[in-house]
Amino acid sequence: MQTASSALPPGYGQIEPMPIPGHIDPVPVPRAAVTRADGRIDLLGLSKDDLRLALETSQLEPKQAKLRAKQLFHWIYNRGVTDFALMTDIAKTMQPWLANRFAISRPEVIEQQVSTDGTRKWLLRSPDAQDYEMVFIPDADRGTLCVSSQVGCTLNCRFCHTGTMRLVRNLTPAEIVGQVMLARDSLGEWPSQPEGRMLTNIVMMGMGEPLYNFDNVRDALKLVMDGDGLALSKRRITLSTSGVVPMMARAGEEIGVNLAVSLHAVTKEVRDEIVPLNRKYGIEELLQACADYPGANNARRITFEYVMLKDKNDSDAEAHELVRLLRKYKLPAKVNLIPFNPWPGAPYDTSTPERVRAFSNIVFEAGISAPVRTPRGRDIDAACGQLKTASAKKSRAELDRQAEEKLAALG
């Protein structure tokens, strides 16, 4: 595992090291604002308290700082404004003072692609020259933004192209919420409003494992859910994890969004192979953590993601075992069956449509919803498991070596 702190440009600030999975007490103090190369402080990603602290640090009187922080929060997160001169309830004499000291940024867009099915993918670049991606998936009744939480990934799930990347670093709260802001810009959906918008849902299913970047993901999603800002209901946000068991309860308590679990197998042998994290947190331990997840009920079911791999995890026997496990732990569950999205060098094949339907029927007949997800954005490598900014192909031996390195780092 490596970080990019040594490669940061002057003034960009230090990136915090990866948190060790486990019970880590958050430090209840505002975050330090990030200083840009031009010396100004970037306000994107800051909460009301962070904004107030940034203003006070710039010698604004505390009472004035509290008022201005509330105004700035509204303009940044509710109206989507990046120009202080457009903030009409802030005195014109105050606007230049703000502009000289602060900035409101967006992620740099390197490339935007649009699929034949309407899916959009953005390649973004951070000030320290790290690339990451986000995807918007429009449907008739909803629009879902797939948000990344890390540059690269540490998990090396064998069916996932993103998993072949080395982990570089965590994304900051600004870089996470900035993806939502950029999508809103692109869709013309400012100011925030509860009805009639295209971007209705967010899934933390892009690059990276969100629970290995817990604090930053939590802080970013709190901004997204704030009723005075982006105002997206927690019921419309889903956090996906490959099974970082020690962090799951905290995610339920401190974030409270819907939970999705990348299960993909029902036996230790198969899951150890395709989701190596299973060697640290096994299926039974994972399902117990799901049963204990705060707020899970029949109205807020846990989604289990299950990628269909030919002759690997798609038999009738495995479908019946999936039903048995979900019943054993009395889980309010929905199973998303995902046809494998192939990529160059992938070690697996896609299950046949007939096999997927047979698997789905067994789960449905047990009274558990098991829809087959329609692949989206395949032609631009925007489908599930395909996000990967580096185009270099790696040999199977190289992937195996990386997997062992990552497992060693996990302990």
Side-chain angles (χ1 to χ4, degrees), residues 49-61:
D49 284 343
D50 297 329
L51 289 169
R52 177 184 53 77
L53 181 65
L55 293 168
E56 287 185 9
T57 303
S58 295
Q59 309 306 312
L60 202 62
E61 184 268 330

Side-chain angles (χ1 to χ4, degrees), residues 2-55:
Q2 63 186 57
T3 64
S5 58
S6 59
L8 291 172
Y12 183 61
Q14 295 298 308
I15 302 298
E16 293 184 0
M18 218 65 59
I20 299 170
H23 297 287
I24 308 163
D25 293 327
V27 181
V29 295
R31 295 186 309 278
V34 174
T35 304
R36 295 154 40 106
D38 63 10
R40 294 188 296 166
I41 291 173
D42 197 334
L43 300 183
L44 181 65
L46 299 189
S47 66
K48 291 188 188 82
D49 284 343
D50 297 329
L51 289 169
R52 177 184 53 77
L53 181 65
L55 293 168

Side-chain angles (χ1 to χ4, degrees), residues 333-356:
K334 170 187 175 182
V335 180
N336 268 347
L337 299 179
I338 308 166
F340 173 60
N341 295 307
W343 41 271
Y348 304 111
D349 292 323
T350 306
S351 300
T352 65
E354 295 77 18
R355 184 90 293 278
V356 176

